[in-house]
Amino acid sequence: EGESSIATNPYFAYEYAKDVVKGRWLEGEAIIAQDPWFAYWYAKDVIKGRWTEGEASIATDPKYWDLYREHFGIKIIK
């Protein structure tokens, strides 16, 4: 019933997916993908794998992009 409100905030959407749904929550992914911090933790803690939909956002934050690449073994070829 309140999911539409939860899906408007990346923090609440991430927490809801992690603690209530205990897995991917497609309705909240669009807002989560807009925030590099929550996109990183969503991939790591909820999906437990690469999340290509969130990678563009994660890549805007050098710290979380490095953590993401390291955690998921992504090699950058120059």
Side-chain angles (χ1 to χ4, degrees), residues 34-77:
Q34 293 178 16
D35 185 289
W37 193 95
F38 291 110
Y40 166 75
W41 288 105
Y42 185 75
K44 185 176 179 293
D45 292 342
V46 177
I47 295 175
K48 299 180 179 16
R50 283 188 70 173
W51 186 38
T52 56
E53 296 90 336
E55 287 181 359
S57 176
I58 298 167
T60 67
D61 186 306
K63 175 184 174 183
Y64 285 101
W65 183 236
D66 286 345
L67 288 171
Y68 182 86
R69 287 185 11 242
E70 181 179 322
H71 187 80
F72 296 113
I74 300 169
K75 305 273 190 248
I76 302 295
I77 300 172

